[in-house]
Amino acid sequence: MSLIVVALLPARPDKIEDTRALLLGLIAPTRAEAGCISYQLHQNNANPADFCFIEEWKDDDALDQHLATPHLQAARERMPELLAGPPDIRRYSLIG
């Protein structure tokens, strides 16, 4: 059974475009990962500083491997300067 991840990323108001560029840069390398089923970035229409990844992974191991990739590690190093708070990453399992 696959794993669904919702990652909420609140950008600083003065860093919206920089945050958007950083997050968009994660899409291609992440989609190329073996365990990635779906990886989509969304931006809130009412609050452009509110970004959200909705992801589907083969399993927890695939997500854990993603979290250790060089491209994600590099992005995580930049997040403190771009985000208004820590990312809120939630793992969900389909139950019905």
Side-chain angles (χ1 to χ4, degrees):
M1 184 176 300
S2 66
L3 174 70
I4 301 298
V5 174
V6 177
L8 306 171
L9 303 131
R12 295 175 191 256
D14 61 331
K15 299 290 186 177
I16 293 171
E17 290 307 315
D18 292 335
T19 302
R20 183 174 194 219
L22 177 72
L23 299 177
L24 284 170
L26 293 173
I27 294 172
T30 298
R31 287 181 179 167
E33 293 175 37
C36 180
I37 297 169
S38 176
Y39 193 77
Q40 299 176 342
L41 177 62
H42 303 268
Q43 188 174 17
N44 187 324
N45 292 341
N47 177 5
D50 179 18
F51 292 92
C52 174
F53 276 110
I54 299 177
E55 314 168 18
E56 186 175 4
W57 295 91
K58 178 182 158 195
D59 53 28
D60 280 299
D61 289 338
L63 176 61
D64 291 340
Q65 289 176 21
H66 164 66
L67 295 174
T69 59
H71 60 271
L72 190 62
Q73 290 299 315
R76 290 174 81 173
E77 287 178 16
R78 291 206 49 219
M79 286 183 184
E81 72 185 67
L82 300 175
L83 299 184
D88 180 1
I89 301 171
R90 303 171 186 198
R91 297 180 186 210
Y92 294 89
S93 298
L94 181 65
I95 60 170

